[in-house]
Amino acid sequence: MAVEERDPHTGFLTTGHEWNGIKELNTPVPRPVYFFLIVTFLFAVGYWVLMPAWPGLSSYTRGLLGADDRRNVDASVQQAVLSRADWTRRIESEPYAQIQADARLMDVVRQSGRTLFGDNCAVCHGTDAKGGKGYPDLTVAATLFGRAPEALAETIRVGINSGHAEGRQSQMLAFGRDGMLQRAEIDKLTAYVRSLSSPTAEKPEAVAAGKVLFATNCASCHGDDGAGNQELGAPDLTDSTWIYGGDAQSILTSIWHGRQGHMPNWDGRLSPIERKILALYVADLERARK
């Protein structure tokens, strides 16, 4: 077959190669390809001239623009340090209420607090701070020792049943396991406690009997109305927030076996300003939920 053979359909010459009756055309490279190759080459040459590009024995070519990413990063870090020093000083020195009233400072608290919470608290309370069975929901108003940031900061510092010399103590007696109440009495007490948050959930006669038992055995910690006592770490039994569950079986289990939760203390593991930021962040979670 002649090399100069021209394909009758396209008008292009053939290369002389043929496979299974298919002839290869000697198709020229499209002109736009040459154009983009030239543009790419010119861009590369321009970049080499203007920007740092070629390594040398001890340094590298600086380029006519003198661009230096390391210098830019160092400047950004220095600026961040100066900026952090300003808001750090303010958070350290200003009262909680004054910080909460400052929108810009609270933006810093939310950003830094989210990181601190994720690194130190989320393993128990969850990344959304809504907790789980045995771990309190921190996005609601009810907390064992108070919702004010000052109270939260102290709880974070010393923990609960943590072994810290100044730690907060919170323990519920095991009325069934230790034989202080009989099963029938615990059933009635369960009915009353459940009625505090769900008034129509139990039979009136069981609730009435349980109320007497509550006054004798539980009111000293939880209060006559069951609204709790933050000084003792006794939870409010009248709302819908439960650490271990508000169904009949969970309440019965709590009364029978007692409860003694544990929160580690962060005194010595987090700095005072980190604890203060965490307290402000947790106090702000209720607002964020609304």
Side-chain angles (χ1 to χ4, degrees):
M1 180 174 59
V3 174
E4 297 297 327
E5 180 183 1
R6 188 174 295 276
D7 178 61
H9 299 287
T10 63
F12 291 119
L13 295 174
T14 65
T15 63
H17 301 149
E18 180 178 347
W19 292 272
N20 296 327
I22 300 174
K23 296 179 179 180
E24 182 183 29
L25 299 180
N26 189 14
T27 307
V29 176
R31 290 184 178 180
V33 173
Y34 289 112
F35 170 78
F36 286 112
L37 287 173
I38 293 170
V39 169
T40 302
F41 174 77
L42 293 176
F43 173 81
V45 172
Y47 192 90
W48 293 342
V49 173
L50 297 174
M51 303 292 289
W54 294 103
L57 294 176
S58 60
S59 182
Y60 53 88
T61 58
R62 302 291 176 173
L64 296 180
L65 295 181
D68 190 332
D69 286 343
R70 178 175 295 178
R71 183 176 63 240
N72 294 339
V73 169
D74 289 342
S76 297
V77 170
Q78 184 62 29
Q79 182 60 39
V81 169
L82 294 175
S83 175
R84 180 181 177 87
D86 177 61
W87 62 255
T88 297
R89 175 186 54 78
R90 292 189 58 192
I91 290 177
E92 280 181 325
S93 61
E94 294 181 10
Y96 286 96
Q98 188 172 337
I99 296 171
Q100 289 177 306
D102 190 314
R104 293 183 63 183
L105 269 185
M106 284 306 297
D107 284 340
V108 172
V109 165
R110 293 180 189 113
Q111 294 172 14
S112 300
R114 186 182 300 111
T115 301
L116 285 169
F117 189 91
D119 290 344
N120 300 281
C121 313
V123 67
C124 291
H125 294 284
T127 55
D128 58 0
K130 292 184 178 179
K133 195 163 187 176
Y135 301 99
D137 182 347
L138 301 179
T139 67
V140 298
T143 53
L144 291 180
F145 291 94
R147 187 76 191 177
E150 294 87 348
L152 292 170
E154 182 64 7
T155 301
I156 293 170
R157 185 180 78 86
V158 302
I160 301 173
N161 301 323
S162 65
H164 190 282
E166 302 173 60
R168 298 188 185 279
Q169 304 299 317
S170 177
Q171 181 173 2
M172 177 176 170
L173 301 176
F175 289 94
R177 186 190 65 202
D178 294 343
M180 290 182 283
L181 293 175
Q182 300 302 312
R183 173 57 190 263
E185 293 175 311
I186 290 178
D187 287 340
K188 295 172 184 176
L189 188 54
T190 297
Y192 176 71
V193 171
R194 194 175 181 216
S195 74
L196 292 174
S197 57
S198 303
T200 61
E202 300 292 337
K203 295 179 180 179
E205 57 272 19
V207 171
K211 183 175 183 179
V212 176
L213 290 165
F214 186 90
T216 305
N217 298 278
C218 313
S220 58
C221 290
H222 293 283
D224 293 334
D225 57 357
N229 186 332
Q230 292 181 348
E231 291 184 2
L232 300 176
D236 185 349
L237 303 176
T238 65
D239 58 21
S240 59
T241 302
W242 297 85
I243 298 176
Y244 296 96
D247 60 282
Q249 182 58 56
S250 296
I251 294 173
L252 188 149
T253 301
S254 294
I255 297 172
W256 187 276
H257 292 287
R259 298 293 185 186
Q260 184 177 10
H262 173 80
M263 175 180 165
N265 73 81
W266 300 95
D267 190 9
R269 290 188 282 181
L270 293 177
S271 67
I273 188 173
E274 288 174 326
R275 299 197 301 269
K276 190 172 185 179
I277 290 172
L278 260 180
L280 287 162
Y281 175 77
V282 172
D284 187 62
L285 289 174
E286 184 188 0
R287 177 210 59 81
R289 180 173 180 170
K290 295 178 180 179

